Amino acid sequence: MNREQKSEIKIQDNKKDSLSSVPRSLSSEACVRCGSCKALCPTYMHDVTEGMSARGRVVLLNKFNDGDIEPSEALDKRLYSCILCGACNSLCPLGINITDAIYGCRKKIAKYNKKRRLLTSLLGFGLKRTNAGFSLIKFLEGINNLLPVQNILPFKIFKDLDIVLPDSPLRDSVSIFRVSKPRGRIAVFAGCSVNFLYPEAGRSLIKSLTALNYDVILPQGEACCGAPLLGLGLERDAAQLAEKNLKIFKDLNVEAVVGLCPTCIHFIKNEYIRLVGSGIDNAMEVPQFFMDKIQQAEHKRQKIDNKNLASDICHLGSVIYHDPCHSIYNLNVSSEPRNILKSLGTNIIDSDKGCCGFGGTFRLLYKELSESILDDRIKAYKNADTIVTSCPNCIIQLRSRLKNKPVKHIIEIIEKALKEEENEK
Ligand code: SF4
Ligand code: SF4
């Protein structure tokens, strides 16, 4: 059977099964090697070899799937150096889901790389037991004087990225925040980065939601969304976490499940459909949820006192909004955060768009390439006084280099604006 015949059968199969409800689910076997997907590929921009481009990866994984090539170090590097940003998916004229094809191939080749086994085992273990992992790390941090731990893996990463662990995670004990006359109920999907590294963003989200008169629920038992595990080729482990989160969030009877990390939201909404056949349909990012509400509130308030909240309260100066890859390529969110910032009177300036180079495990496995991709962002953002974004991981990556320039999550600006409104009432 030739490749075209195989592609045709695969396309028909896709239409029949549950994957047909996932956008862009055409098999990689349909690739005609046009090269359109290379145009925005961040790894190709920094290593101009075919194998480091989206098309190069598709060609290689098709050859591997057809049995034409064996697992090798070169194949491993090409597939694991993909940031999984999704830019290529948005460019393929045939609608091939390139990232899903890469996830699928990583699953098959994961076991051949012995060097990555330690990282895979540690992350696999830790991400399935995040609370216990956090307590262990805090314990080790506490006995640093007795037993120097700076050179063991998680601490090396924290030092490299200038991460200071908070005293306690966001989802510590309180799980329901009630207001007196609620207009509705919202659940928060905190995600690991916000829960364990950046809990102040989670607190800002809770305060913003209660300021708008919503009861807020942080369901007990939320697990990692599974994205890092799927990225490492551990599909079965990622699916277990998906099942757990679905059980907790699916039947909460809430208006929306709001999250501060676009990767988590893309996963629980879209990737879970492929992984376990069902996703959390009402999951949304902060800018999607808040846009209309902020614009309406600001319109009313500015009629009264004609003040620009963001520029008056937050002292942001000129702002560049950094688009997280999973927001623009997977959730189609781009105008919403800018509309929020504009309605708060922020002076937004233009810049070219691009990946920050973090990509979770990509930063750990390909640090040099990650930093080289980050260099472009630092240059592109040199004229801004403040960088605003909506992803805690982009914040970590950008802050690792931008020491004298604030990098904020948009929820921090929203919280301040809503608080000021409360004070003015
Ligand atoms: S997901 Fe991003 S890094 Fe990976 S092949 Fe596609 S464009 Fe390149
Ligand atoms: S854009 Fe689509 S068809 Fe063209 S090379 Fe990339 S994956 Fe293949």
Side-chain angles (χ1 to χ4, degrees):
M1 194 187 294
N2 65 29
R3 183 177 294 284
E4 278 98 275
Q5 286 169 318
K6 274 198 208 167
S7 305
E8 215 167 287
I9 289 169
K10 197 77 183 189
I11 296 163
Q12 284 164 1
D13 283 346
N14 276 348
K15 282 183 185 154
K16 273 189 272 160
D17 65 23
S18 65
L19 289 183
S20 60
S21 57
V22 185
R24 314 193 71 77
S25 61
L26 200 62
S27 161
S28 62
E29 288 177 351
C31 174
V32 292
R33 303 190 181 187
C34 67
S36 306
C37 52
K38 289 161 67 169
L40 292 173
C41 180
T43 55
Y44 182 60
M45 286 179 202
H46 288 262
D47 183 346
V48 191
T49 46
E50 182 67 11
M52 292 299 277
S53 75
R55 179 177 68 181
R57 293 182 174 112
V58 171
V59 170
L60 279 172
L61 69 86
N62 277 341
K63 280 181 191 283
F64 174 76
N65 288 338
D66 286 349
D68 295 341
I69 55 172
E70 295 288 316
S72 66
E73 212 172 295
L75 176 70
D76 189 277
K77 182 182 171 194
R78 300 312 186 209
L79 291 181
Y80 273 86
S81 61
C82 162
I83 308 180
L84 299 165
C85 65
C88 49
N89 292 344
S90 68
L91 295 172
C92 176
L94 300 182
I96 291 172
N97 194 325
I98 299 167
T99 44
D100 275 0
I102 291 172
Y103 281 128
C105 197
R106 284 188 184 186
K107 182 185 157 195
K108 292 180 196 163
I109 63 170
K111 60 178 180 234
Y112 296 105
N113 187 316
K114 294 194 176 75
K115 283 189 218 151
R116 209 177 35 242
R117 270 194 202 152
L118 175 66
L119 177 69
T120 305
S121 313
L122 269 179
L123 278 177
F125 185 83
L127 290 172
K128 286 198 276 178
R129 300 158 188 84
T130 43
N131 285 323
F134 182 82
S135 304
L136 177 64
I137 289 170
K138 286 304 284 180
F139 172 74
L140 291 172
E141 195 182 51
I143 59 164
N144 187 25
N145 287 340
L146 302 171
L147 182 75
V149 292
Q150 306 90 324
N151 292 327
I152 63 172
L153 199 52
F155 293 99
K156 265 167 83 176
I157 299 167
F158 298 152
K159 194 170 165 208
D160 172 37
L161 289 166
D162 236 347
I163 292 172
V164 179
L165 280 190
D167 291 338
S168 56
L170 172 70
R171 304 164 40 76
D172 211 5
S173 52
V174 184
S175 56
I176 298 192
F177 300 81
R178 292 192 195 282
V179 294
S180 54
K181 287 184 192 154
R183 67 197 268 194
R185 277 161 31 111
I186 302 295
V188 170
F189 189 94
C192 298
S193 301
V194 167
N195 196 20
F196 297 110
L197 303 178
Y198 193 20
E200 58 270 32
R203 288 185 201 107
S204 290
L205 175 57
I206 294 164
K207 284 182 195 157
S208 304
L209 289 168
T210 50
L212 288 172
N213 274 332
Y214 284 101
D215 278 345
V216 181
I217 308 168
L218 270 82
Q220 291 296 310
E222 176 197 302
C224 163
C225 69
L229 297 181
L230 193 62
L232 285 167
L234 305 174
E235 189 178 290
R236 208 162 33 158
D237 301 270
Q240 279 170 5
L241 298 182
E243 297 279 13
K244 195 171 173 197
N245 282 327
L246 274 176
K247 212 166 153 192
I248 294 169
F249 281 89
K250 192 89 174 158
D251 300 316
L252 278 178
N253 192 22
V254 290
E255 190 179 312
V257 174
V258 180
L260 293 143
C261 171
T263 304
C264 295
I265 296 301
H266 162 53
F267 255 69
I268 65 175
K269 191 183 176 87
N270 303 324
E271 286 293 337
Y272 281 10
I273 300 175
R274 188 179 68 83
L275 267 178
V276 291
S278 163
I280 300 169
D281 311 331
N282 60 350
M284 57 178 85
E285 269 200 81
V286 159
Q288 289 173 293
F289 180 80
F290 281 94
M291 188 181 82
D292 294 344
K293 295 164 181 77
I294 293 291
Q295 281 188 320
Q296 281 159 12
E298 268 310 286
H299 185 65
K300 260 196 239 159
R301 199 194 52 74
Q302 280 184 14
K303 268 188 173 170
I304 302 167
D305 65 10
N306 201 28
K307 260 189 353 191
N308 284 324
L309 277 184
S311 52
D312 290 353
I313 304 162
C314 303
H315 309 294
L316 301 175
S318 56
V319 169
I320 283 179
Y321 182 77
H322 167 80
D323 290 278
C325 294
H326 288 148
S327 291
I328 39 176
Y329 302 126
N330 297 102
L331 297 165
N332 207 13
V333 173
S334 173
S335 59
E336 294 87 340
R338 289 177 174 80
N339 287 342
I340 289 175
L341 291 169
K342 275 182 202 152
S343 69
L344 292 172
T346 305
N347 173 25
I348 304 189
I349 56 173
D350 276 340
S351 79
D352 65 338
K353 294 180 182 179
C355 177
C356 71
F358 187 76
T361 50
F362 172 77
R363 163 84 200 195
L364 308 183
L365 297 169
Y366 297 94
K367 187 178 167 194
E368 219 174 286
L369 188 52
S370 164
E371 296 220 322
S372 151
I373 295 169
L374 175 61
D375 282 344
D376 280 357
R377 290 304 90 218
I378 303 304
K379 280 181 210 143
Y381 299 165
K382 72 175 187 301
N383 292 329
D385 297 313
T386 307
I387 313 301
V388 178
T389 185
S390 56
C391 172
N393 298 318
C394 297
I395 290 175
I396 290 169
Q397 174 86 335
L398 292 166
R399 278 185 186 167
S400 73
R401 190 74 67 75
L402 289 170
K403 304 289 179 198
N404 300 318
K405 195 174 279 194
V407 184
K408 291 175 179 285
H409 196 291
I410 193 166
I411 196 63
E412 298 175 57
I413 321 285
I414 292 173
E415 184 210 347
K416 281 205 169 164
L418 290 171
K419 197 164 150 194
E420 185 65 12
E421 281 197 13
E422 283 280 292
N423 293 342
E424 284 179 2
K425 273 181 196 167

